[in-house]
Amino acid sequence: MKPDVELNPLNALYAHKALISLAFQLLAVFVPVEVLRQGAPLSTALLFPLAAFLVRGLLAWPGSAAVSRLGYRRSMAAAYFLFLPAFLALRSLELTASTVALAAVLIGIGESLHDIAIRSDFADLTAEQDSDSASARLHSIPKISSVVGPILGGFLLSFYGFGLLVVVSAVLLLVAALPLLRLGRNRPENFSFMSFASSRTKSEEDIFLQRGIILCAGVYIFPIFVFKFVAGELEVGGVRSLGALASVAFGLAVDRVVSRYGRRKVISFGAVVSALFMFVKPHLFSTYAVFAASFVGGLALSTYFIPLYSWMADRGRSQVPEYFGYRQMLVSTGGVLLSGTAILLLDFLQDLAVLRYSMYAAGIASVFVAVVAWLEVESD
């Protein structure tokens, strides 16, 4: 009997993305949490995102060049030679500042290959499809993993410890490699990062930079706030899972919403609402309030991010690896700015104040995205 869904290259890419997202969603947010559980200061916990974002930013240009030379599938496979040692270090070594930095550097190098490769392959495979619909699927299918991963990670960390959490994540990482066997050996015909970067507009640079700030706040800053000042590991997982659940819900309806209201209105409205919740969330100390804000905030985030991603991808389809390398460089710079500034402020301010100011910065970044989108995105 023929299966309902053939594992063609695009479906294989979705499957790989879903599985590898599950592996990292299980682990990534809980590395800083485990550092704090072991009694280390907040600055050590924030070293993990800082090092990962810094390496990704520095390697964006050589990483996109490597993807161009190796091809997409080989680049994704090569990342495993960095991900697995990082997981091994987290499992085997004491979580000191040097261990956290080492794991973050290895993961950052791997992501500089993997992220550019998978996004480039996706752009090539969906070149003839509706970009909003395709982007919604790429965003929503892995988000299902993001619903399951954090809450499962919180459960494993709470009841079985960090060691088992890393082992389960590593096993999932290996399983995620299997769909890569169904991908072709696609690669771009030519590569010129500098000529591409020099031709981009200021609005693209600004949006990517703000996206990095928002990403760092959502993945690291707010979960750390929840762990330190609201509840425990399970609640950290719940916050991340509820935000992802909202993203899945909107991702399935994005076609109809964008068709009815247009990209510009949807992006601007979603970014403003998302900014509002960025300002509110670090003042909530009730578990139920944090959960509710995470769900609604996740819905607002996906409301603008999916159409924004497809709009930006449309502008970079002619030079795919260059575009995603350029994107990675700027997004990572935003993450470095937020996490690095937070670490510096810890010398002068209390932990709660630093986490709040970091969330405020993400809120301002969301407002900036709304303004740029209103000015730059074509009215449908």
Side-chain angles (χ1 to χ4, degrees):
M1 182 176 178
K2 187 176 180 180
D4 292 334
V5 180
E6 179 186 356
L7 198 62
N8 59 36
L10 183 56
N11 286 333
L13 196 68
Y14 286 139
H16 171 71
K17 180 65 173 173
L19 289 167
I20 201 168
S21 294
L22 180 57
F24 277 100
Q25 287 292 337
L26 269 173
L27 184 63
V29 70
F30 293 108
V31 173
V33 168
E34 178 62 17
V35 170
L36 294 172
R37 282 184 63 188
Q38 294 186 8
L42 180 57
S43 57
T44 302
L46 290 174
L47 190 61
F48 183 76
L50 174 63
F53 279 123
L54 181 62
V55 170
R56 288 187 58 178
L58 292 174
L59 294 183
W61 181 3
S64 55
V67 169
S68 179
R69 180 173 293 273
L70 293 172
Y72 304 144
R73 186 178 72 176
R74 289 177 178 175
S75 297
M76 284 184 264
Y80 273 76
F81 291 96
L82 297 151
F83 292 151
L84 290 173
F87 281 35
L88 180 62
L90 291 171
R91 175 64 180 85
S92 305
L93 303 176
E94 183 182 353
L95 287 185
T96 61
S98 57
T99 301
V100 170
L102 172 63
V105 167
L106 290 172
I107 290 173
I109 297 172
E111 286 182 336
S112 69
L113 290 172
H114 185 275
D115 194 52
I116 294 171
I118 195 171
R119 292 178 185 276
S120 300
D121 203 11
F122 167 77
D124 280 356
L125 290 172
T126 60
E128 303 302 321
Q129 299 185 19
D130 175 71
S131 58
D132 287 316
S133 176
S135 293
R137 285 194 297 274
L138 184 70
H139 181 74
S140 297
I141 291 176
K143 277 293 181 181
I144 297 173
S145 300
S146 302
V147 174
V148 177
I151 193 66
L152 177 58
F155 174 80
L156 291 173
L157 183 59
S158 295
F159 293 100
Y160 298 100
F162 189 69
L164 181 63
L165 175 60
V166 176
V167 170
V168 173
S169 300
V171 171
L172 285 169
L173 187 68
L174 290 172
V175 174
L178 297 178
L180 294 180
L181 300 175
R182 298 291 298 175
L183 299 180
R185 297 183 178 181
N186 297 344
R187 57 186 294 178
E189 296 180 359
N190 50 59
F191 177 82
S192 178
F193 186 86
M194 291 304 294
S195 63
F196 176 85
S198 63
S199 66
R200 309 322 294 170
T201 64
K202 184 68 166 56
S203 61
E204 288 177 286
E205 294 178 3
D206 292 337
I207 285 179
F208 286 143
L209 192 66
Q210 309 312 315
R211 172 60 186 159
I213 294 172
I214 296 164
L215 180 67
C216 183
V219 175
Y220 296 107
I221 300 295
F222 187 60
I224 288 173
F225 166 81
V226 172
F227 178 74
K228 283 184 67 68
F229 299 104
V230 181
E233 301 88 349
L234 275 173
E235 288 76 11
V236 170
V239 162
R240 294 286 298 148
S241 292
L242 283 170
L245 181 62
S247 294
V248 172
F250 180 77
L252 299 175
V254 66
D255 287 347
R256 294 187 293 274
V257 175
V258 173
S259 296
R260 179 171 181 178
Y261 297 104
R263 275 184 184 172
R264 184 172 71 174
K265 291 180 180 178
V266 172
I267 293 171
S268 298
F269 173 78
V272 169
V273 176
S274 180
L276 175 64
F277 279 90
M278 290 289 187
F279 287 115
V280 168
K281 286 194 293 187
H283 294 276
L284 304 176
F285 295 96
S286 159
T287 301
Y288 293 112
V290 165
F291 280 175
S294 296
F295 182 83
V296 180
L299 185 62
L301 179 67
S302 60
T303 299
Y304 81 84
F305 179 70
I306 295 174
L308 178 67
Y309 176 87
S310 64
W311 175 68
M312 301 294 282
D314 285 346
R315 304 177 74 173
R317 285 189 185 275
S318 61
Q319 292 177 282
V320 173
E322 293 94 329
Y323 168 77
F324 287 111
Y326 174 77
R327 174 189 182 277
Q328 178 175 291
M329 178 179 66
L330 292 168
V331 169
S332 299
T333 300
V336 168
L337 288 174
L338 188 65
S339 55
T341 301
I343 290 174
L344 292 175
L345 287 176
L346 287 170
D347 288 335
F348 308 99
L349 300 172
Q350 296 295 317
D351 290 0
L352 178 59
V354 171
L355 294 173
R356 278 179 171 169
Y357 289 148
S358 298
M359 293 298 294
Y360 298 163
I364 294 170
S366 296
V367 171
F368 192 89
V369 169
V371 173
V372 172
W374 188 260
L375 296 175
E376 296 290 336
V377 176
E378 299 81 3
S379 180
D380 296 315

